[in-house]
Amino acid sequence: MKIVALCGAGIGTSEILRVNALRALERLDVEAEVAASDVAGVAVAAAGAQVILTSPELVSSIGATNADIVVITNYFDLDEITAKLEIAVG
Amino acid sequence: MTYELPPLGALPDEAITIGAHAEDWRAAIRVVADALVASGAAEDPYGERMIALVEQFGPYIVIAPGLALAHARPGPDVLAPGLALVTLAEPVAFGHAHNDPVSVVIGLAAAEADQHVASVAGLANVFNDPSVIPALAEAASADEIRRLLSRAAEPGLS
């Protein structure tokens, strides 16, 4: 399983999302690779990914993808991230 | 490359601004840019690049209720990896549908794309406790801010 955490610049917010996604996956007992990416690199980063995690503002920047797009409102809310990931990977 | 940011609880005074007055989100980002400049992490153009990122992609940097993580790509205007933290006397709208208004702005500067990892994992440790953002917004001193930032990073509390 491959998951991409997406932000505008590829530093900062996507890394927070990546770290907390790993914690959420641990709660769910799901093994996955989680990579951080910026919008410019998403087509490459998300190739073969099942899930793209991102903010509501960035959804329209993603373009065509086969991955499930999971929108996270509060990047620090492990309950929100866990619940949404559980639906996406379940 | 090896990279280690100073512990969050050791942010220098120059990197902390308490009770800043900002009339809008651009002004709020400029305050945190000034703190990054004052603490030696960045040079002036970095602030305008942080603003440009929001203009390009929208207010996605407002990653939790009340908290904006301002940053831009690595560039020649980044002198050293660094963090700065600003609290706003009056919360400011960034235009985020869920997490406005913002009362705490963190500025992040990284000289290389892979330099953020250690510091950002530390941020996640601190802010996974939802009480930290309102407590920072109310903090009256730099020492109190440092105490809040180091509290959640203590072993066993993450």
Side-chain angles (χ1 to χ4, degrees):
Chain A
M1 163 112 30
K2 183 176 167 188
I3 294 172
V4 174
L6 181 69
C7 85
I11 77 156
T13 56
S14 59
E15 184 59 27
I16 284 175
L17 201 47
R18 190 185 76 83
V19 169
N20 280 335
L22 286 171
R23 289 178 182 158
L25 290 164
E26 203 170 299
R27 283 187 181 185
L28 294 170
D29 203 18
V30 171
E31 287 214 9
E33 170 198 346
V34 185
S37 172
D38 64 359
V39 166
V42 67
V44 173
Q50 279 86 346
V51 176
I52 298 173
L53 290 171
T54 195
S55 134
E57 278 74 23
L58 295 179
V59 171
S60 62
S61 304
I62 293 175
T65 177
N66 291 322
D68 283 341
I69 296 172
V70 175
V71 174
I72 303 295
T73 302
N74 181 342
Y75 281 30
F76 293 112
D77 185 344
L78 285 178
D79 291 339
E80 177 189 351
I81 298 171
T82 304
K84 290 179 175 174
L85 269 178
E86 186 169 26
I87 294 168
V89 305
Chain B
M1 65 183 288
T2 50
Y3 160 68
E4 198 134 352
L5 200 87
L8 289 171
L11 269 192
D13 285 349
E14 295 76 22
I16 298 174
T17 305
I18 295 169
H21 296 274
E23 64 178 20
D24 58 20
W25 65 266
R26 286 182 178 83
I29 289 180
R30 287 189 183 109
V31 176
V32 86
D34 287 346
L36 284 171
V37 170
S39 58
E43 292 179 310
D44 271 336
Y46 192 69
E48 295 308 311
R49 292 208 296 119
M50 293 196 288
I51 289 171
L53 194 72
V54 176
E55 287 170 341
Q56 184 179 2
F57 293 113
Y60 79 95
I61 64 167
V62 187
I63 55 175
L67 177 76
L69 180 65
H71 60 290
R73 291 186 179 82
D77 48 4
V78 176
L79 304 176
L83 280 172
L85 188 147
V86 170
T87 66
L88 299 172
E90 302 89 23
V92 166
F94 274 60
H96 193 284
H98 303 280
N99 295 335
D100 268 347
V102 169
S103 52
V104 178
V105 184
I106 291 176
L108 172 67
E112 301 285 344
D114 60 354
Q115 282 192 343
H116 55 276
V117 176
S119 59
V120 170
L123 282 177
N125 281 338
V126 172
F127 288 102
N128 284 350
D129 175 352
S131 71
V132 168
I133 296 169
L136 284 169
E138 297 292 319
S141 71
D143 281 339
E144 200 176 338
I145 300 249
R146 282 188 282 264
R147 194 162 56 243
L148 285 162
L149 291 177
S150 55
R151 188 182 66 180
E154 286 166 13
L157 291 181
S158 63

